[in-house]
Amino acid sequence: MSELSRRSGVPVPTIKFYLREGLLRPGRATASNQAEYEEEHLRRLRLVRALITLGGLSVAATREILEAVGEPLGRYETLGVTHYALRSPVAAVPEGDDTDGSAAEVERLVERMGWTVTEQSPLRGALAAGLRALREVGADYGAEELVPYAELAAATARLDLDQLAGIEDRIDIAERALVLTVLMEPVLATLRRMAQENEAALRYAGQDGGAGG
């Protein structure tokens, strides 16, 4: 176990916790207080660690994903289970609460883009909550205003899923989905701000009241 801890970077007490919770299967016993662990344990441990520490999932939600990747599911189902288990960017608008029409705008956007997003997707309610927050501060975004952003998101999604080409192992697929969803989001947000700074310099630098150039 000490070697598994060293190679994974996960402390021994944490590994023991994962074993007790059934998130990691026991190693092959070689003595009364020793067990042998394989590469499969290392891969599984890294996925569990990523789900809990990076994805912010509970033990129960993590177990749900692990059970799913252990089933004979295709890429679509594996990605769906992983994405739906992850926390939404914002707290979703409760189902049936559409007093300001935000949920209706989300529905119009999905139809306009021709997207396949299930009715059960928590991201529908999360997007509605984001639109509601914008509306409350006077930025009224509807489906039409979101289309250019949705088109950029679609292009990003194509780049993301291109990286799954040739990957067949379900654990690898789930792990890559976590990387693309959790770790890439702050990178993409930072790139956007850098691009905004550059665009502002191109448009406004040197103008009255702007930064000198």
Side-chain angles (χ1 to χ4, degrees):
M1 186 176 292
S2 59
E3 177 66 11
L4 183 63
S5 174
R6 184 189 68 78
R7 293 186 61 189
S8 67
V10 180
V12 169
T14 302
I15 295 176
K16 289 182 177 179
F17 171 72
Y18 293 161
L19 285 166
R20 287 196 303 272
E21 293 295 327
L23 302 179
L24 191 68
R25 67 178 178 83
R28 184 174 62 86
T30 57
S32 58
N33 61 346
Q34 280 191 321
E36 186 177 83
Y37 295 91
E38 303 169 348
E39 286 297 319
E40 184 67 21
H41 287 94
L42 181 62
R43 292 172 62 240
R44 176 98 169 202
L45 179 57
R46 285 172 173 165
L47 177 58
V48 170
R49 186 66 161 172
L51 288 166
I52 292 176
T53 62
L54 301 178
L57 301 189
S58 65
V59 168
T62 299
R63 188 178 293 112
E64 179 183 345
I65 289 182
L66 294 174
E67 289 173 355
V69 300
E71 295 293 325
L73 301 177
R75 286 195 183 119
Y76 178 69
E77 291 82 3
T78 300
L79 287 169
V81 170
T82 304
H83 283 150
Y84 286 7
L86 293 173
R87 290 180 298 184
S88 296
V90 294
V93 168
E95 187 175 351
D97 177 8
D98 194 28
T99 54
D100 65 343
S102 295
E105 289 300 322
V106 171
E107 181 64 27
R108 279 193 283 272
L109 176 67
V110 171
E111 291 180 0
R112 171 71 182 273
M113 296 299 297
W115 283 351
T116 301
V117 180
T118 67
E119 294 293 336
Q120 295 74 33
S121 173
L123 299 177
R124 286 176 176 265
L127 182 55
L131 296 182
R132 177 174 293 182
L134 285 168
R135 185 167 294 173
E136 288 173 352
V137 296
D140 195 357
Y141 279 78
E144 291 302 315
E145 291 79 13
L146 287 177
V147 165
Y149 292 96
E151 290 173 342
L152 291 173
T156 301
R158 287 191 290 272
L159 289 172
D160 287 341
L161 295 194
D162 282 347
Q163 297 187 43
L164 296 179
I167 299 177
E168 300 297 335
D169 186 271
R170 290 186 295 276
I171 291 182
D172 285 347
I173 291 172
E175 191 172 42
R176 182 59 61 89
L178 281 171
V179 169
L180 295 173
T181 303
V182 178
L183 296 184
M184 277 298 289
E185 282 187 349
V187 172
L188 294 175
T190 303
L191 284 173
R192 182 188 182 196
R193 293 188 187 186
M194 292 171 68
Q196 286 177 346
E197 179 179 342
N198 174 70
E199 188 65 22
L202 291 173
R203 294 189 185 201
Y204 310 126
Q207 296 182 10
D208 291 343

